[in-house]
Amino acid sequence: MSSVQSQQEQLSQSDPSPSPNSCSSFELIDMDAGSLYEPVSPHWFYCKIIDSKETWIPFNSEDSQQLEEAYSSGKDCNGRVVPTDGGRYDVHLGERMRYAVYWDELASEVRRCTWFYKGDKDNKYVPYSESFSQVLEETYMLAVTLDEWKKKLESPNREIIILHNPKLMVHYQPVAGSDEWGSTPTEQGRPRTVKRGVENISVDIHCGEPLQIDHLVFVVHGIGPACDLRFRSIVQCVNDFRSVSLNLLQTHFKKAQENQQIGRVEFLPVNWHSPLHSTGVDVDLQRITLPSINRLRHFTNDTILDVFFYNSPTYCQTIVDTVASEMNRIYTLFLQRNPDFKGGVSIAGHSLGSLILFDILTNQKDSLGDIDSEKDSLNIVMDQGDTPSIEEDLKKLHLSEFFDIFKKEKVDKEALALCTDRDLQEMGIPLGPRKKILNYFSTRKNSVGINRPAPQSASGANIGKESEFCSRSSTRNDDYLDVGIGQVSVKYPRLIYKPEIFFAFGSPIGMFLTVRGLKRIDPNYRFPTCKGFFNIYHPFDPVAYRIEPMVVPGVEFDPMLIPHHKGRKRMHLELREGLTRMSMDLKNNLLGSLRMAWKSFTRAPYPALQASETAEETEAEPESTSEKSSDVNTEETSVVVKEEVLPINVGMLNGGQRIDYVLQEKPIESFNEYLFALQSHLCYWESEDTVLLVLKEIYQTQGIFLDQPLQ
């Protein structure tokens, strides 16, 4: 305390009194001499680099309280770790650093903040260092206690802070060259406001997240490292998705929250782009990239080429291994940090990420017996490692005694499909068993697709011939093809959990399956380990494709319209439907009136003796004309009625429910579809309608529904 007093005395002696112009207004403030000192309440902040600038962001109120309790506990802070942000970050209290738990991210500085000053450009308040804030607080305490103001302090950057009174404290930043001219910082510096306590600055401090986690969702990104128009990473976009979900839980699941039936849904990002491009492929591409239009070529190498990487056997294996291993690793770590978690797990993919998840789910197996019987009955081909073993096939042929020969020669299913009669003869297998084996495996190769040259079919070289051939040679379901046709020949890893629902955002799955040669998906097919599948897209998304027409190709019907999160259709859609309905009614009435007028005009004159017959006919004709007009109306509106009334069977891929769900475009987007095409592909992260559909389907599996059903 004495050091602070001596520092203040030196500053007061060396610095002349402020000029009347700068301090006369200060004297007019009514001072409360008998005011009592109250300690400042600290709040914890962390620093993030945003747009190459340091930005201090406050922890939510619960996290800040936990950090303060750990700081004030009296124990040594070294080694103390406090989980924050719903357990996604750990704060090492002694180091004053914040580390991400589930993904790689630069560590950020943490600070216990009490005093702030306004920044230069963005007018946001910046906290002083903890040591200097303590000096400011001690000076403030003396000024309040002794009622002696106009205290001056020098910051570590040799800048002057003057405490004029409790309501006016100023930070003077000297202008360059002030010392050479001999002028004081008070006269030539630019003043910046100083505030004490976080309650006196304009900053949004959110409440904490519910501790209870009901469901876990893994989110896989698409091509490139950026996920939206602001070039943000998957971590930042998922943070937005999570924030929107927390707000919607408070507004649309209010009753369930009040009854403590629900907590929250945790969304965790899965990054596969960085591991893929750390394999050295970027260096190889750079050597062959032309020097012209350098930025565009770099963007292409970093983003669009991810699609071609996924069609390459080498890099496709890297991608699927990275996605599956990351989800397994994060899931294991999540259970370690949340041992009481009893909820389910779902997965979501955006753009190419949804195709990666689709292929991984297609090649999962529930159990050996179940998946084999399901694959035989539905004509679905999985990965080579998931097909029945040679021993099981030989057992079906009653040729188990020859299994030791194949084992000795190290012949697996793929090698056996390439063997000829001469090869089997050289292995010592008699003529009869040879013919049975060759006939059995040649039939399975043609009907199911074993050993189909995947790279050629993936590139489109043999798609037409292959799809036509497979549809003819299929033994059970001639109209259906296996889902695995055209997939790159890789070993698909297994997930250590069974996802409940698969959400696809802006997904090109339908296009890739068609290009691979798939004409139709068996209506009885379902994912081996996942019950639900929702294909969610914006109507102007240029990358999105439908799935339902591949299940029911002979029926034309619209996708399910996702309700607006406020419980109504958007105004311009209602207006458009109203005008369409009005025009249909006017058209039908006009046609009916014209038809009646034409019949009365062209009717031949009848004799007087036939007046009774004419009356009878005229009485009957309106009935017939009304019947005909009603027939016309029913024919014209049959499509609408069928869509609204008759249920549509879209197979079992989503447990019998609809698969395709389309968002409602905004009014400004409807003016120009092409202008908002790219934005439409990246709109899902902040879309309340998308998040609400995800929450609704997740909580329905737990028997919890919205407060009011949306229409």
Side-chain angles (χ1 to χ4, degrees):
M1 192 72 69
S2 60
S3 62
V4 177
Q5 292 177 351
S6 60
Q7 186 179 10
Q8 295 170 358
E9 291 175 357
Q10 293 176 1
L11 286 172
S12 59
Q13 293 175 0
S14 61
D15 189 77
S17 59
S19 61
N21 293 332
S22 61
C23 296
S24 58
S25 59
F26 305 156
E27 302 292 343
L28 298 176
I29 298 178
D30 183 22
M31 300 300 301
D32 186 5
S35 60
L36 298 177
Y37 168 77
E38 293 184 1
V40 63
S41 57
H43 195 92
W44 291 74
F45 282 66
Y46 63 93
C47 181
K48 293 205 70 174
I49 306 298
I50 301 177
D51 297 334
S52 302
K53 295 188 300 183
E54 288 188 354
T55 302
W56 287 91
I57 303 173
F59 285 95
N60 63 59
S61 55
E62 291 187 3
D63 289 343
S64 179
Q65 184 178 356
Q66 288 185 359
L67 290 169
E68 184 63 22
E69 289 175 357
Y71 173 82
S72 305
S73 61
K75 300 179 181 178
D76 187 9
C77 291
N78 294 326
R80 292 291 301 274
V81 178
V82 180
T84 61
D85 299 273
R88 296 180 296 274
Y89 289 88
D90 282 342
V91 172
H92 293 236
L93 211 56
E95 303 176 22
R96 292 293 198 274
M97 299 297 289
R98 174 177 176 264
Y99 297 92
V101 175
Y102 298 107
W103 55 82
D104 294 331
E105 183 179 311
L106 292 176
S108 52
E109 181 185 353
V110 173
R111 187 174 293 179
R112 181 176 182 264
C113 305
T114 53
W115 286 76
F116 306 84
Y117 66 93
K118 185 172 288 188
D120 292 328
K121 298 179 180 179
D122 53 7
N123 289 329
K124 292 183 179 179
Y125 282 92
V126 180
Y128 287 104
S129 65
E130 293 187 31
S131 57
F132 188 67
S133 294
Q134 186 176 359
V135 174
L136 282 170
E137 183 65 20
E138 292 176 353
T139 306
Y140 179 84
M141 181 184 66
L142 286 176
V144 171
T145 305
L146 303 177
D147 194 21
E148 295 178 359
W149 292 95
K150 298 184 179 59
K151 302 288 185 181
K152 296 186 179 183
L153 292 110
E154 185 176 352
S155 71
N157 297 331
R158 304 189 64 82
E159 298 175 356
I160 301 301
I161 294 92
I162 302 178
L163 309 183
H164 292 287
N165 55 63
K167 297 182 180 180
L168 183 62
M169 294 170 282
V170 184
H171 180 137
Y172 289 97
Q173 187 178 12
V175 178
S178 59
D179 293 336
E180 298 176 1
W181 294 95
S183 58
T184 62
T186 305
E187 295 174 350
Q188 203 167 3
R190 291 181 298 170
R192 294 188 291 184
T193 306
V194 177
K195 294 292 184 180
R196 174 180 179 266
V198 71
E199 63 274 2
N200 293 319
I201 64 174
S202 57
V203 62
D204 293 330
I205 300 177
H206 301 284
C207 298
E209 302 176 14
L211 297 178
Q212 176 185 340
I213 300 176
D214 305 318
H215 204 86
L216 176 63
V217 180
F218 294 111
V219 184
V220 180
H221 65 85
I223 63 172
C227 296
D228 66 353
L229 292 176
R230 287 176 280 177
F231 297 98
R232 297 186 303 169
S233 65
I234 180 64
V235 175
Q236 295 171 305
C237 291
V238 173
N239 286 343
D240 277 351
F241 203 87
R242 188 187 305 109
S243 299
V244 174
S245 72
L246 292 174
N247 293 332
L248 290 175
L249 285 175
Q250 295 177 358
T251 56
H252 290 71
F253 293 86
K254 190 174 183 180
K255 293 181 180 178
Q257 278 196 339
E258 292 175 352
N259 297 331
Q260 297 182 350
Q261 293 178 300
I262 63 172
R264 63 184 174 92
V265 177
E266 181 62 282
F267 297 90
L268 295 179
V270 177
N271 181 18
W272 57 266
H273 182 270
S274 300
L276 171 66
H277 288 262
S278 63
T279 58
V281 63
D282 289 347
V283 178
D284 298 335
L285 285 173
Q286 190 62 35
R287 288 199 298 264
I288 61 175
T289 301
L290 300 181
S292 59
I293 52 174
N294 185 37
R295 292 185 179 180
L296 180 59
R297 296 185 192 277
H298 177 73
F299 174 79
T300 302
N301 292 348
D302 207 31
T303 56
I304 300 176
L305 286 186
D306 287 345
V307 178
F308 298 99
F309 287 146
Y310 189 66
N311 286 325
S312 164
T314 301
Y315 295 108
C316 179
Q317 187 69 64
T318 302
I319 292 173
V320 296
D321 286 345
T322 302
V323 172
S325 62
E326 272 294 287
M327 289 196 294
N328 289 340
R329 179 190 67 84
I330 296 174
Y331 180 68
T332 303
L333 181 59
F334 178 82
L335 292 182
Q336 293 175 358
R337 296 176 62 89
N338 301 272
D340 298 330
F341 176 71
K342 304 297 181 183
V345 183
S346 294
I347 55 179
H350 176 244
S351 189
L352 182 62
S354 62
L355 178 66
I356 298 170
L357 293 177
F358 183 89
D359 288 342
I360 291 177
L361 289 179
T362 304
N363 290 277
Q364 296 296 296
K365 59 180 181 180
D366 192 1
S367 62
L368 188 60
D370 294 341
I371 195 63
D372 289 343
S373 61
E374 179 180 318
K375 181 171 53 187
D376 290 339
S377 62
L378 302 180
N379 194 23
I380 300 299
V381 64
M382 300 300 172
D383 182 68
Q384 298 293 333
D386 294 337
T387 56
S389 63
I390 294 181
E391 185 177 7
E392 294 172 349
D393 287 331
L394 292 175
K395 189 175 181 180
K396 293 179 182 179
L397 298 174
H398 304 287
L399 299 175
S400 300
E401 63 270 19
F402 299 105
F403 175 68
D404 293 335
I405 298 177
F406 291 117
K407 187 176 181 181
K408 180 180 178 181
E409 296 291 337
K410 296 182 179 179
V411 176
D412 56 8
K413 293 288 289 295
E414 186 177 356
L416 184 56
L418 299 173
C419 287
T420 62
D421 183 77
R422 184 181 181 86
D423 297 330
L424 297 179
Q425 185 179 0
E426 291 178 355
M427 284 189 284
I429 299 177
L431 178 61
R434 289 203 309 268
K435 295 301 182 183
K436 288 183 179 180
I437 293 172
L438 289 174
N439 179 66
Y440 176 77
F441 282 98
S442 64
T443 303
R444 286 191 60 81
K445 179 173 69 174
N446 291 334
S447 62
V448 182
I450 297 177
N451 197 34
R452 184 174 290 124
Q456 293 183 2
S457 61
S459 62
N462 297 326
I463 286 176
K465 184 187 298 182
E466 216 170 62
S467 60
E468 182 183 357
F469 171 76
C470 292
S471 63
R472 289 198 309 266
S473 62
S474 189
T475 56
R476 297 190 179 183
N477 297 322
D478 293 338
D479 295 332
Y480 309 134
L481 294 177
D482 55 275
V483 173
I485 183 173
Q487 285 181 338
V488 178
S489 180
V490 298
K491 177 67 178 177
Y492 287 93
R494 294 190 61 180
L495 302 176
I496 59 177
Y497 53 86
K498 295 180 181 180
E500 293 192 8
I501 306 175
F502 168 35
F503 298 98
F505 306 140
S507 171
I509 293 175
M511 182 269 289
F512 270 86
L513 293 181
T514 303
V515 171
R516 289 171 177 177
L518 182 64
K519 292 183 178 179
R520 186 176 182 184
I521 299 176
D522 191 332
N524 294 322
Y525 174 69
R526 65 181 67 187
F527 293 123
T529 59
C530 185
K531 300 177 183 178
F533 175 36
F534 290 85
N535 182 38
I536 303 169
Y537 61 92
H538 191 282
F540 304 155
D541 189 341
V543 182
Y545 289 81
R546 292 191 63 183
I547 298 293
E548 291 174 341
M550 301 188 70
V551 184
V552 193
V555 182
E556 293 186 3
F557 54 93
D558 293 332
M560 290 291 291
L561 186 67
I562 299 177
H564 194 271
H565 65 282
K566 293 184 178 179
R568 57 171 178 79
K569 287 185 179 180
R570 294 186 183 273
M571 188 64 68
H572 69 288
L573 295 180
E574 293 180 351
L575 181 61
R576 183 190 305 168
E577 291 182 359
L579 292 175
T580 303
R581 194 180 301 112
M582 184 186 302
S583 63
M584 288 293 296
D585 294 339
L586 290 174
K587 176 184 175 183
N588 294 334
N589 294 333
L590 181 61
L591 288 175
S593 301
L594 290 175
R595 191 178 296 110
M596 288 286 295
W598 176 256
K599 285 188 176 182
S600 62
F601 179 75
T602 58
R603 182 181 300 151
Y606 292 99
L609 294 175
Q610 297 179 353
S612 59
E613 297 179 2
T614 305
E616 293 176 358
E617 289 180 0
T618 55
E619 289 177 0
E621 279 181 2
E623 295 180 1
S624 62
T625 54
S626 62
E627 289 177 359
K628 290 180 181 179
S629 63
S630 64
D631 292 340
V632 174
N633 293 342
T634 53
E635 288 178 2
E636 292 177 350
T637 60
S638 60
V639 178
V640 180
V641 173
K642 286 181 180 178
E643 286 184 3
E644 294 179 354
V645 177
L646 297 179
I648 301 174
N649 183 12
V650 291
M652 300 305 296
L653 195 56
N654 191 22
Q657 300 183 62
R658 295 292 300 273
I659 300 172
D660 293 335
Y661 287 79
V662 61
L663 291 166
Q664 302 179 34
E665 73 272 15
K666 298 178 181 178
I668 191 174
E669 294 173 343
S670 61
F671 288 116
N672 193 321
E673 300 177 2
Y674 297 94
L675 184 62
F676 294 94
L678 180 59
Q679 179 179 334
S680 300
H681 183 58
L682 306 172
C683 72
Y684 306 99
W685 308 115
E686 299 177 356
S687 169
E688 293 94 341
D689 300 347
T690 302
V691 178
L692 186 58
L693 177 62
V694 171
L695 295 176
K696 181 174 73 73
E697 296 301 329
I698 286 176
Y699 278 110
Q700 275 186 0
T701 62
Q702 304 177 15
I704 298 173
F705 302 93
L706 293 169
D707 292 341
Q708 294 181 353
L710 301 181
Q711 298 178 354

